[in-house]
Amino acid sequence: MSKSLLPVVTTRRPPWNKGRLVGQKRPLQSKQVWAIRARLELANKLRDLALFNLAIDSKLRGCDLVRLRVNDLAVGNSIRDRVSVVQRKTAKPVQFEVTENTREVVSQWVSSQYMHGQRYLFPSRMHALPHLSTRQYARLVREWVSAIGLDPSSYGTHSLRRTKAALIYRKTGNLRAVQLLLGHSKVDSTVRYLGVELEDALSIAERIDL
C-alpha cells in the first residue's frame, strides 16, 4: 500500500481532568479549620499558619492571596483589622476583615527574621519567583487537608475561599453580604458559587420524615 493512502494517525493527549474529581470543592467545616490550625501551630509552621488564617478570613482567590504585600496588612508594628485589595480577575476592589487571631499570627510572621526586607507577605522559597505561586499554594492546601484525614481530591484552594462565606450564609441567609465579601458583581454568581439552591433543597428534604 502506498504511504500516501495510509490513514493519518494523530496522537491524543490524555484529558487534563482524567482521574480527577472536577467541579466545586467543598468548604471546610469549623472543626476541620481548627484541626488544621492546631497541626500548623504544633509544627511551628508560622508562614503556613498565617497563609491559612488569611485564606479563611480574606475569602480571596488564590491568585490574589499569594500576591498580598506586607504593606497591604502591616502599618508600622501593627496589622490592619480591615484590608482592601484589587482583584486580578475583576479589577475591582474587595474588602475583608482580619480577625484578632490572624492579626497576631501575621504580626509574628512579618516580624520574623525570614521576612526582613521582603515585599510580598508570602515570598517564594524559589529564587526565580518573587512570591508563592498558586501551584505552590494548592500543594500546601492538599497537604493541610490530607494531614487531618480528608480526601485532597474533594478540597482545594477554593475550599478555603468558600469556607467562611458558606458559614456566614448558613447563619444569616444574607446573600447580599456574602456577595460583597466575595467580590462578585452579580448575586447570581454567589448563588452558583455557594450552591445555595442545592443546599437549601437538601436541608428541606432532610427535615421531611416519611
Side-chain angles (χ1 to χ4, degrees):
M1 183 184 290
S2 171
K3 289 185 178 180
S4 61
L5 298 177
L6 290 173
V8 177
V9 178
T10 56
T11 58
R12 292 185 179 181
R13 290 182 178 180
W16 67 270
N17 58 353
K18 184 178 181 181
R20 300 183 187 179
L21 291 177
V22 296
Q24 286 190 345
K25 301 297 184 181
R26 298 177 185 173
L28 294 171
Q29 299 175 14
S30 295
K31 62 182 180 181
Q32 294 165 344
V33 170
W34 285 104
I36 291 173
R37 279 180 179 150
R39 282 183 172 271
L40 294 177
E41 287 176 358
L42 288 172
N44 199 27
K45 293 185 175 180
L46 191 57
R47 183 204 65 171
D48 287 13
L49 183 58
L51 179 63
F52 178 74
N53 280 358
L54 267 178
I56 298 294
D57 278 359
S58 70
K59 302 163 286 290
L60 289 173
R61 297 178 182 88
C63 60
D64 294 321
L65 180 67
V66 296
R67 285 176 173 80
L68 285 174
R69 297 171 186 264
V70 173
N71 59 13
D72 286 332
L73 278 87
V75 183
N77 294 324
S78 63
I79 304 298
R80 303 176 196 268
D81 56 5
R82 289 190 180 180
V83 178
S84 179
V85 297
V86 176
Q87 303 171 96
R88 290 192 73 209
K89 184 176 181 179
T90 64
K92 294 180 179 179
V94 65
Q95 292 189 49
F96 61 89
E97 76 291 351
V98 185
T99 58
E100 183 178 355
N101 184 42
T102 301
R103 291 198 301 271
E104 290 177 3
V105 174
V106 171
S107 179
Q108 292 174 36
W109 171 238
V110 297
S111 302
S112 65
Q113 184 178 1
Y114 182 76
M115 287 297 292
H116 288 171
Q118 297 286 357
R119 253 176 97 193
Y120 288 97
L121 193 58
F122 303 110
S124 174
R125 290 169 181 170
M126 298 173 64
H127 296 296
L129 299 174
H131 57 73
L132 198 70
S133 69
T134 52
R135 180 172 291 184
Q136 290 170 319
Y137 172 44
R139 177 180 54 78
L140 286 171
V141 172
R142 287 195 297 272
E143 290 178 2
W144 297 338
V145 298
S146 297
I148 62 168
L150 298 178
D151 180 2
S153 64
S154 297
Y155 297 87
T157 58
H158 271 277
S159 295
L160 275 59
R161 173 166 158 79
R162 293 180 66 204
T163 292
K164 200 167 188 178
L167 182 60
I168 291 169
Y169 175 72
R170 284 199 299 271
K171 287 193 172 184
T172 67
N174 191 332
L175 268 175
R176 174 59 177 163
V178 177
Q179 176 195 356
L180 292 172
L181 291 170
L182 289 173
H184 288 159
S185 57
K186 297 180 180 179
V187 74
D188 289 352
S189 301
T190 308
V191 170
R192 289 193 301 272
Y193 191 77
L194 293 180
V196 166
E197 293 174 346
L198 176 59
E199 287 296 327
D200 288 347
L202 289 172
S203 296
I204 293 168
E206 286 170 353
R207 292 196 294 269
I208 303 301
D209 189 14
L210 291 177

